[in-house]
């Protein structure tokens, strides 16, 4: 296995609850207090009703595989010894889509819409990466 | 109950054939390192104005689309000053990615029709290729998301190594393949057809022969995309002049009349229910452009479809209704897009094999075909040409229907 650390993002004000949640092994999403629409913590305003009233809610961690790719280009030093590698977009049960990686499934077994469940990988003392593994039901 | 103006505004028919592309200018393109983007733009404009038979004093509008390298102050005034354009009534920098070329022409057409200006130059130029270091070719495009210290939610793209435009189009292509059974070979047929066209074009950068075997053997960039699914990266500039139809008819070149115009921007809200990867803004643009032109698909003689990737061509064909959604793969498999085929498409080799000038690639070849100046690659029947642009990750779509007659 590789020893180069993954480039884990620094939290900003809008994403801090997400990354802190990941440390607790919880998938946290934003939900609009006005209309109830879920969104990834990215922007302060709800695109559906334009409200800025939001709350942080623990999501189910359930999702399905929306799409995936296999990166063969070496574009970042942290990935030099990982290439080629798989990356994925997962559609969460609550609606939002998140970029991640599927683990525990062979590459030729990956199928779009396959059920997935969030898994939490403590890559360092202060950072946890959210990946997705197979889900039975 | 609607006032008369509102009814007319829903139509667009009154714009049909009232403006035309009167001039086309292209700088040297490709691996040309002697100019920066701003000078490529100036050279393209000089050639476009000369091509139209206009004098620089007659140019009173300038619309500018910068690429990934700068085009001077605010993208426009620097260029204005470089060229001594002293009579501008219209000046703006615009960017909806590869959809911009058509979009600039649309605003230029409406401006000349309604009297805001008389002759509007629209230009794209870029110089992302450098002679030294920096990863060469697509470095400027591959860099997206490659932050050294990622932060916020967008930082997840860095964590999972989702870098560059290639990665996003790979996700979109994969989705189409999974939903509809589209195969790599079907995409390869598009690349091969465009290369066959490029072999007939003195403007094309890649004129060496290509087979489906070459396509299959080309290295993976981001699976499911092979290298030969991806466009080139070029230095250079292209400009067009847009004039009122009756004035264009008196100028040096056969006018490319603008029969129909449309845009579609579907939005990507990154959540369930949004099939942004497989359904583009093209249907929205198509509806307006074809109703304005009073045309149907059967009227289209030549297609110039934005082709940042082979997949973009396939999904655009579907979204215009040349075939049903999901049937793009089998539709192109017989080679109908290539020379001698029933649906001549990207007759200059497109951006896959010709030259990468964003939306100016399909637009410039569209003008050349309508004029009948395509030489060895000229399509015999060239009365009506569809030109499409695409920007971002299928975020923006723009359409022009060009006609040999108004
Ligand atoms: Zn809301």
């Amino acid at each position: 296995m590789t020893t180069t650390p993954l480039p884990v993002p620094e939290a900003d004000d809008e994403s801090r609850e997400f990354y802190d949640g990941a440390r607790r092994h919880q998938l946290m999403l934003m939900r609009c207090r006005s209309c109830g629409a879920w969104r990834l913590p990215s922007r302060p305003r709800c695109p559906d009703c334009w409200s800025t009233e939001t709350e942080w809610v623990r999501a189910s961690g359930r999702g399905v595989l929306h799409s995936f790719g296999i990166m063969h280009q070496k574009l970042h030093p942290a990935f030099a010894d990982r290439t080629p590698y798989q990356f994925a977009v997962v559609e969460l049960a609550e609606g939002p889509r998140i970029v991640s990686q599927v683990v525990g499934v062979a590459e030729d077994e990956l199928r779009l819409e396959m059920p997935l469940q969030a898994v939490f990988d403590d890559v360092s003392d202060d950072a946890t990466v959210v990946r997705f593994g197979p889900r039975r039901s | 109950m609607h006032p008369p103006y509102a009814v007319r505004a829903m139509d667009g028919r009154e714009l049909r054939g009232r403006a035309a592309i009167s001039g086309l200018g292209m700088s040297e393109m490709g691996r040309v390192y002697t100019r920066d983007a701003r000078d490529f733009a100036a050279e393209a404009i000089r050639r476009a104005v000369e091509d139209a038979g206009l004098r620089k004093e007659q140019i009173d509008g300038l619309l500018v689309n910068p690429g990934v390298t700068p085009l001077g102050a605010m993208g426009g005034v620097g260029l204005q000053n470089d060229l001594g354009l002293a009579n501008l009534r219209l000046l703006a920098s615009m960017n909806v990615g590869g959809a911009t070329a058509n979009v600039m022409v649309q605003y230029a057409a409406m401006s000349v029709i309604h009297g805001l200006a008389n002759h509007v130059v629209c230009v794209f130029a870029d110089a992302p290729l450098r002679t030294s270091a920096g990863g060469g070719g697509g470095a400027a495009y591959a860099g997206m998301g490659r932050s050294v210290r990622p932060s916020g939610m967008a930082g997840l793209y860095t964590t999972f190594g989702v870098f560059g435009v290639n990665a996003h189009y790979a996700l979109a292509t994969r989705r189409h393949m999974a939903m509809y059974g589209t195969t790599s070979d079907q995409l390869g047929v598009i690349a091969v057809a465009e290369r066959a066209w490029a072999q007939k074009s003195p403007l094309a950068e890649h004129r060496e022969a290509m087979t489906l075997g070459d396509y299959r053997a080309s290295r993976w960039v981001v699976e499911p995309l092979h290298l030969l699914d991806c466009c080139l990266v070029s230095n250079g500039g292209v400009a067009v002049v847009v004039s009122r139809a009756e004035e264009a008819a008196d100028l040096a070149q056969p006018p490319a009349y603008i029969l129909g115009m449309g845009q579609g921007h579907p939005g990507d809200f990154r959540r369930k229910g949004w099939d942004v990867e497989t359904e583009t803004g093209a249907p929205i643009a198509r509806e307006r452009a074809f109703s304005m032109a009073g045309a149907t698909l059967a009227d289209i003689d030549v297609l110039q479809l934005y082709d940042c990737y082979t997949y973009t061509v396939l999904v655009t064909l579907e979204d215009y209704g040349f075939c049903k959604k999901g049937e793009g793969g089998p539709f192109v498999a017989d080679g109908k897009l290539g020379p001698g085929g029933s649906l001549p498409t990207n007759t200059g080799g497109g951006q896959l094999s010709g030259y990468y000038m964003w939306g100016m690639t399909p637009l410039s070849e569209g003008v050349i075909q309508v004029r009948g100046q395509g030489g060895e690659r000229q399509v015999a029947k060239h009365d009506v040409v569809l030109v499409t642009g695409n920007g971002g990750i299928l975020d923006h779509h723009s359409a022009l229907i060009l006609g040999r007659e108004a």
Side-chain angles (χ1 to χ4, degrees):
Chain A
M1 276 301 283
T2 175
T3 52
T4 319
L6 278 176
V8 178
E10 278 182 83
D12 57 13
D13 287 347
E14 276 155 9
S15 61
R16 187 158 288 110
E17 294 275 354
F18 176 86
Y19 289 113
D20 287 353
R23 293 288 304 130
R24 304 189 303 269
H25 291 201
Q26 296 177 347
L27 184 65
M28 302 297 289
L29 296 181
M30 265 182 176
R31 195 168 64 184
C32 176
R33 280 186 188 276
S34 173
C35 77
W38 294 85
R39 66 187 193 272
L40 277 173
S42 57
R43 298 290 301 149
R45 190 174 302 274
C46 173
D48 290 273
C49 73
W50 297 359
S51 168
T52 53
E53 297 296 310
T54 60
E55 58 188 340
W56 286 90
V57 182
R58 184 180 179 178
S60 65
R62 296 155 62 96
V64 296
L65 179 57
H66 186 66
S67 193
F68 69 98
I70 312 293
M71 174 61 79
H72 288 257
Q73 293 179 291
K74 293 187 177 182
L75 297 169
H76 191 292
F79 293 87
D81 48 6
R82 291 180 164 90
T83 308
Y85 56 89
Q86 171 243 102
F87 59 92
V89 172
V90 175
E91 183 174 281
L92 301 172
E94 291 79 7
R97 293 172 184 157
I98 187 170
V99 61
S100 186
Q101 185 180 43
V102 179
V103 291
V105 183
E107 201 175 290
D108 58 2
E109 303 278 311
L110 289 170
R111 299 286 180 272
L112 301 204
E113 315 302 339
M114 70 188 298
L116 299 170
Q117 180 72 39
V119 294
F120 298 87
D121 180 5
D122 298 321
V123 294
S124 71
D125 288 344
D126 55 5
T128 299
V129 168
V130 183
R131 296 193 180 85
F132 286 80
R135 168 164 58 92
R136 303 231 182 275
S137 59
Chain B
M1 292 303 285
H2 297 285
Y5 181 79
V7 174
R8 279 181 37 235
M10 291 299 291
D11 187 312
R13 278 287 189 110
E14 73 276 13
L15 299 174
R16 182 191 189 280
R18 293 186 54 201
I21 294 170
S22 57
L24 168 66
M26 311 166 82
S27 75
E28 290 179 287
M29 295 180 295
R31 301 197 164 273
V32 183
Y33 305 115
T34 50
R35 298 176 190 272
D36 60 11
R38 189 161 152 180
D39 199 38
F40 279 123
E43 179 62 18
I45 292 171
R46 185 187 72 76
R47 294 185 189 194
V49 173
E50 183 179 285
D51 180 66
L54 290 164
R55 288 173 293 107
K56 79 169 186 178
E57 291 74 19
Q58 293 172 279
I59 301 303
D60 58 0
L62 176 61
L63 299 177
V64 173
N65 175 205
V68 294
T69 59
L71 259 181
M74 303 276 296
V77 69
L79 204 47
Q80 175 190 13
N81 293 335
D82 289 352
L83 288 164
L85 297 173
N87 299 324
L88 296 189
R89 305 166 204 271
L90 190 76
L91 173 64
S93 179
M94 298 187 168
N95 205 341
V96 279
T100 316
N102 284 352
V103 163
M104 289 192 297
V105 167
Q106 293 173 9
Y107 296 134
M110 289 185 287
S111 296
V112 299
I113 290 168
H114 293 296
L116 203 60
N118 294 312
H119 301 287
V120 180
V121 167
C122 308
V123 65
F124 167 84
D126 204 2
L129 301 174
R130 286 175 290 274
T131 44
S132 58
Y141 292 90
M144 201 167 89
R146 201 172 45 169
S147 23
V148 180
R149 291 177 64 84
S151 71
M153 288 310 294
L156 286 182
Y157 289 90
T158 307
T159 301
F160 293 105
V162 187
F163 303 123
V165 181
N166 294 334
H168 292 272
Y169 276 92
L171 289 167
T173 305
R174 171 86 66 190
R175 190 122 183 103
H176 199 280
M177 288 174 148
M179 288 174 76
Y180 302 115
T182 306
T183 67
S184 188
D185 272 8
Q186 289 165 346
L187 296 173
V189 169
I190 295 172
V192 169
E194 294 204 18
R195 178 61 60 85
W197 281 117
Q199 291 187 282
K200 298 170 177 292
S201 172
L203 296 170
E205 288 179 39
H206 281 285
R207 304 184 64 190
E208 64 278 16
M210 185 213 293
T211 65
L212 197 56
D214 296 329
Y215 167 84
R216 290 180 189 135
S218 71
R219 65 179 166 83
W220 293 118
V221 174
V222 187
E223 289 179 62
L225 301 178
H226 287 276
L227 180 66
L228 292 177
D229 284 304
C230 308
C231 64
L232 311 164
V233 177
S234 312
N235 286 356
V238 180
V240 295
V241 185
V242 177
S243 309
R244 270 194 302 283
E246 59 271 25
E247 291 198 58
D250 291 334
L251 293 176
Q253 293 286 352
Y257 292 101
I258 298 165
L259 306 182
M261 308 187 277
Q263 299 177 28
H265 310 269
D268 176 3
F269 305 140
R270 297 178 197 282
R271 66 184 184 194
K272 195 192 301 265
W274 238 255
D275 290 316
V276 290
E277 301 91 350
T278 50
E279 294 178 22
T280 72
I284 306 165
R286 173 198 69 197
E287 184 277 328
R288 180 50 46 97
F290 278 81
S291 70
M292 187 181 294
T296 67
L297 292 185
D299 296 316
I300 302 295
D301 299 316
V302 186
L303 278 71
Q304 308 296 344
L305 305 183
Y306 197 88
D307 60 337
C308 45
Y309 298 87
T310 51
Y311 171 65
T312 317
V313 174
L314 184 141
V315 74
T316 304
L317 287 166
E318 292 179 355
D319 282 348
Y320 273 86
F322 286 100
C323 60
K324 284 189 188 147
K325 177 51 67 185
E327 295 181 1
F331 182 72
V332 301
D334 68 357
K336 64 166 64 66
L337 306 188
S342 59
L343 203 61
T345 299
N346 296 353
T347 49
Q351 303 191 98
L352 297 175
S353 287
Y355 46 90
Y356 181 63
M357 288 287 117
W358 291 22
M360 283 294 181
T361 298
L363 179 59
S364 55
E365 179 66 12
V367 171
I368 289 167
Q369 286 289 333
V370 166
R371 290 178 174 182
Q373 297 173 345
E376 195 190 336
R377 69 186 189 280
Q378 179 62 48
V379 176
K381 188 167 185 303
H382 54 95
D383 295 333
V384 185
V385 177
L386 173 65
V387 178
T388 71
N390 160 69
I393 315 301
L394 305 172
D395 294 303
H396 308 290
H397 187 91
S398 59
L400 285 178
I401 299 172
L402 301 179
R404 201 160 62 84
E405 293 178 353

